[in-house]
Amino acid sequence: MNRLIPAYHVGALLYCPANNDSIVNSLVQEKFGKQFSLALCLEDTIQDNCVAEAEETLIASIRSLKDYQADRSFFLPSIFIRVREPHQINSLLDRLGDSAKLISGFNIPKFSLENANSYIQIIRDLNQNSPRPVYMMPIFESPSLIPLLDRASILYELKSRLDEISQYVLNIRVGGNDLCHMFGFRRHSNESIHKITPVANIFSDILTVFGMDYVVSGPVWEYYSGKNWDAGLRKELNDDRLCGFIGKTVIHPNQIPLVNEAYKVPLKDYNDAKAILDWDLSSPSLVSGSIVKERMNEYKTHANWAVRTLLLADAYGLK
């Protein structure tokens, strides 16, 4: 299983259009709190004829953040850039200059067999010459994943290619809205995406192929206000966790604290995880009642759960 600690700390990944020139002030003022990551988007949130302008705004924003860092202390999240094309990665890093050290990595939309090699080679090359890791987070949302006859072979081939640079694949991400779009679906604020069977089946296949070796992050929830938006998000987050997702893409700051709360580890889970991993392996028995004596702990079947539980506790804390 994946034990790459930074993979668990991506957490709530706040999407922001790259042409949002107010993002610098919001970060410096810590308006979004101190427990989230940030993705500056150059793809779906930007009109095709406005990409060049959005790139300039993004570059100016990152340079401003670097300047502010020299004068004052504030929480700076891990920052990722969601690009459109492979060539944008090197172009942006070159133009950012010294400010590029503020970029943790890149989100790769519509990751597919057609573009995988180009992105993987760029990330490999960058890390050969970088003193720190430059990560990628491929997003599985391509229409090519819909046909059942091809899906398994596509997913396993993509995993085979990503495994070559697995240490730089921070998260696998899923594009819930893009996949729903293909079917003409849209959930309401009281409906979980995991009830949309065709899309949920794609998620299940992604988790089956990648979930044992990578952290797979949950899909975006588009409601941030109105009736029951928060109850709906909590329900979907519960479904996310149960299915194996860790963290979530968010599109509004209101969603950040709910994601962070959802992934906090219950104290009884934490205590049981510690007990499982501290098991006396010389003991003749590998099964015992839990700390509060309400369930059975088994070393052989719960060890991976215990490792993941402690990693989540480190990233999100306890409740």
mmCIF file of all heavy atoms in Angstrom, residues 21 25 31 40 60-61 97 116 140 185 249 283-284 295 301 304 308 316:
data_model
loop_
_atom_site.group_PDB
_atom_site.id
_atom_site.type_symbol
_atom_site.label_atom_id
_atom_site.label_comp_id
_atom_site.label_asym_id
_atom_site.label_seq_id
_atom_site.Cartn_x
_atom_site.Cartn_y
_atom_site.Cartn_z
ATOM 1 N N ASP A 21 -7.180 37.107 -9.829
ATOM 2 C CA ASP A 21 -6.087 37.947 -9.318
ATOM 3 C C ASP A 21 -6.255 38.314 -7.848
ATOM 4 O O ASP A 21 -5.444 39.064 -7.302
ATOM 5 C CB ASP A 21 -5.933 39.203 -10.173
ATOM 6 C CG ASP A 21 -7.210 40.026 -10.272
ATOM 7 O OD1 ASP A 21 -8.165 39.757 -9.513
ATOM 8 O OD2 ASP A 21 -7.253 40.938 -11.120
ATOM 9 N N ASN A 25 -4.036 37.822 -2.200
ATOM 10 C CA ASN A 25 -4.496 38.473 -0.970
ATOM 11 C C ASN A 25 -5.189 37.480 -0.047
ATOM 12 O O ASN A 25 -5.001 37.507 1.172
ATOM 13 C CB ASN A 25 -5.443 39.618 -1.304
ATOM 14 C CG ASN A 25 -5.932 40.343 -0.066
ATOM 15 O OD1 ASN A 25 -5.174 40.973 0.654
ATOM 16 N ND2 ASN A 25 -7.243 40.248 0.198
ATOM 17 N N LYS A 31 -7.370 33.536 4.524
ATOM 18 C CA LYS A 31 -8.835 33.509 4.512
ATOM 19 C C LYS A 31 -9.403 32.099 4.398
ATOM 20 O O LYS A 31 -10.575 31.876 4.697
ATOM 21 C CB LYS A 31 -9.357 34.371 3.360
ATOM 22 C CG LYS A 31 -9.114 35.861 3.539
ATOM 23 C CD LYS A 31 -9.716 36.672 2.411
ATOM 24 C CE LYS A 31 -9.504 38.161 2.623
ATOM 25 N NZ LYS A 31 -10.107 38.972 1.525
ATOM 26 N N LEU A 40 -4.273 25.823 -9.126
ATOM 27 C CA LEU A 40 -4.565 26.935 -10.027
ATOM 28 C C LEU A 40 -4.854 26.353 -11.413
ATOM 29 O O LEU A 40 -4.000 25.712 -12.015
ATOM 30 C CB LEU A 40 -3.385 27.904 -10.067
ATOM 31 C CG LEU A 40 -3.065 28.585 -8.735
ATOM 32 C CD1 LEU A 40 -1.792 29.415 -8.846
ATOM 33 C CD2 LEU A 40 -4.229 29.456 -8.268
ATOM 34 N N ALA A 60 2.254 36.014 -12.310
ATOM 35 C CA ALA A 60 2.313 37.202 -11.448
ATOM 36 C C ALA A 60 1.908 36.853 -10.018
ATOM 37 O O ALA A 60 2.499 37.354 -9.047
ATOM 38 C CB ALA A 60 1.410 38.294 -12.011
ATOM 39 N N SER A 61 0.915 35.995 -9.855
ATOM 40 C CA SER A 61 0.455 35.598 -8.523
ATOM 41 C C SER A 61 1.540 34.845 -7.763
ATOM 42 O O SER A 61 1.798 35.124 -6.576
ATOM 43 C CB SER A 61 -0.799 34.725 -8.636
ATOM 44 O OG SER A 61 -1.882 35.443 -9.193
ATOM 45 N N GLY A 97 10.855 31.174 -13.136
ATOM 46 C CA GLY A 97 12.194 31.382 -12.586
ATOM 47 C C GLY A 97 12.313 30.863 -11.164
ATOM 48 O O GLY A 97 11.852 29.761 -10.849
ATOM 49 N N ALA A 116 -0.317 10.123 -21.882
ATOM 50 C CA ALA A 116 0.397 9.664 -20.692
ATOM 51 C C ALA A 116 1.912 9.725 -20.862
ATOM 52 O O ALA A 116 2.630 10.236 -19.980
ATOM 53 C CB ALA A 116 -0.030 8.245 -20.335
ATOM 54 N N PHE A 140 -8.375 11.086 -13.809
ATOM 55 C CA PHE A 140 -9.048 10.089 -14.632
ATOM 56 C C PHE A 140 -10.483 10.564 -14.893
ATOM 57 O O PHE A 140 -11.354 10.430 -14.044
ATOM 58 C CB PHE A 140 -9.020 8.729 -13.938
ATOM 59 C CG PHE A 140 -7.667 8.095 -13.946
ATOM 60 C CD1 PHE A 140 -6.656 8.565 -13.121
ATOM 61 C CD2 PHE A 140 -7.385 7.039 -14.790
ATOM 62 C CE1 PHE A 140 -5.390 7.997 -13.138
ATOM 63 C CE2 PHE A 140 -6.128 6.461 -14.814
ATOM 64 C CZ PHE A 140 -5.124 6.937 -13.994
ATOM 65 N N PHE A 185 -25.681 13.464 -16.625
ATOM 66 C CA PHE A 185 -26.120 13.393 -15.235
ATOM 67 C C PHE A 185 -25.699 14.652 -14.476
ATOM 68 O O PHE A 185 -24.691 15.283 -14.786
ATOM 69 C CB PHE A 185 -25.493 12.198 -14.512
ATOM 70 C CG PHE A 185 -25.848 10.852 -15.075
ATOM 71 C CD1 PHE A 185 -24.957 9.790 -14.960
ATOM 72 C CD2 PHE A 185 -27.059 10.630 -15.713
ATOM 73 C CE1 PHE A 185 -25.269 8.539 -15.461
ATOM 74 C CE2 PHE A 185 -27.386 9.383 -16.221
ATOM 75 C CZ PHE A 185 -26.482 8.340 -16.094
ATOM 76 N N THR A 249 -11.461 16.956 -4.017
ATOM 77 C CA THR A 249 -11.388 18.220 -4.739
ATOM 78 C C THR A 249 -12.516 19.116 -4.263
ATOM 79 O O THR A 249 -13.666 18.676 -4.181
ATOM 80 C CB THR A 249 -11.517 17.981 -6.253
ATOM 81 O OG1 THR A 249 -10.433 17.164 -6.689
ATOM 82 C CG2 THR A 249 -11.490 19.297 -7.014
ATOM 83 N N SER A 283 3.438 -13.804 20.216
ATOM 84 C CA SER A 283 2.252 -14.338 20.872
ATOM 85 C C SER A 283 1.640 -15.445 20.027
ATOM 86 O O SER A 283 1.634 -15.369 18.793
ATOM 87 C CB SER A 283 1.224 -13.212 21.072
ATOM 88 O OG SER A 283 -0.028 -13.729 21.454
ATOM 89 N N PRO A 284 1.091 -16.494 20.659
ATOM 90 C CA PRO A 284 0.453 -17.572 19.887
ATOM 91 C C PRO A 284 -0.851 -17.144 19.228
ATOM 92 O O PRO A 284 -1.339 -17.821 18.316
ATOM 93 C CB PRO A 284 0.216 -18.660 20.938
ATOM 94 C CG PRO A 284 0.159 -17.928 22.238
ATOM 95 C CD PRO A 284 1.114 -16.777 22.102
ATOM 96 N N ARG A 295 -15.239 -4.895 19.064
ATOM 97 C CA ARG A 295 -14.973 -5.580 17.802
ATOM 98 C C ARG A 295 -13.666 -6.342 17.933
ATOM 99 O O ARG A 295 -12.892 -6.129 18.865
ATOM 100 C CB ARG A 295 -14.894 -4.580 16.641
ATOM 101 C CG ARG A 295 -13.800 -3.531 16.788
ATOM 102 C CD ARG A 295 -13.850 -2.510 15.681
ATOM 103 N NE ARG A 295 -12.854 -1.465 15.861
ATOM 104 C CZ ARG A 295 -12.730 -0.396 15.072
ATOM 105 N NH1 ARG A 295 -13.540 -0.261 14.033
ATOM 106 N NH2 ARG A 295 -11.800 0.511 15.300
ATOM 107 N N THR A 301 -5.296 -9.453 9.103
ATOM 108 C CA THR A 301 -6.295 -8.873 8.202
ATOM 109 C C THR A 301 -6.503 -7.375 8.393
ATOM 110 O O THR A 301 -7.147 -6.729 7.560
ATOM 111 C CB THR A 301 -7.660 -9.580 8.363
ATOM 112 O OG1 THR A 301 -8.099 -9.457 9.731
ATOM 113 C CG2 THR A 301 -7.554 -11.035 7.983
ATOM 114 N N ASN A 304 -2.950 -3.478 7.178
ATOM 115 C CA ASN A 304 -2.960 -2.400 6.176
ATOM 116 C C ASN A 304 -3.919 -1.287 6.585
ATOM 117 O O ASN A 304 -3.622 -0.096 6.391
ATOM 118 C CB ASN A 304 -3.332 -2.949 4.806
ATOM 119 C CG ASN A 304 -2.176 -3.663 4.125
ATOM 120 O OD1 ASN A 304 -1.028 -3.528 4.532
ATOM 121 N ND2 ASN A 304 -2.484 -4.432 3.097
ATOM 122 N N ARG A 308 -2.851 2.722 7.249
ATOM 123 C CA ARG A 308 -3.569 3.833 6.628
ATOM 124 C C ARG A 308 -4.204 4.722 7.691
ATOM 125 O O ARG A 308 -4.203 5.955 7.561
ATOM 126 C CB ARG A 308 -4.640 3.298 5.680
ATOM 127 C CG ARG A 308 -5.514 4.389 5.089
ATOM 128 C CD ARG A 308 -6.486 3.861 4.066
ATOM 129 N NE ARG A 308 -5.812 3.614 2.798
ATOM 130 C CZ ARG A 308 -6.458 3.456 1.639
ATOM 131 N NH1 ARG A 308 -7.775 3.510 1.599
ATOM 132 N NH2 ARG A 308 -5.796 3.248 0.522
ATOM 133 N N TYR A 316 -4.703 14.498 9.256
ATOM 134 C CA TYR A 316 -5.960 15.183 9.583
ATOM 135 C C TYR A 316 -6.217 15.357 11.066
ATOM 136 O O TYR A 316 -7.079 16.145 11.454
ATOM 137 C CB TYR A 316 -7.141 14.431 8.965
ATOM 138 C CG TYR A 316 -7.168 14.432 7.456
ATOM 139 C CD1 TYR A 316 -6.621 13.400 6.726
ATOM 140 C CD2 TYR A 316 -7.758 15.483 6.756
ATOM 141 C CE1 TYR A 316 -6.637 13.384 5.338
ATOM 142 C CE2 TYR A 316 -7.800 15.494 5.360
ATOM 143 C CZ TYR A 316 -7.227 14.433 4.672
ATOM 144 O OH TYR A 316 -7.249 14.441 3.300
#
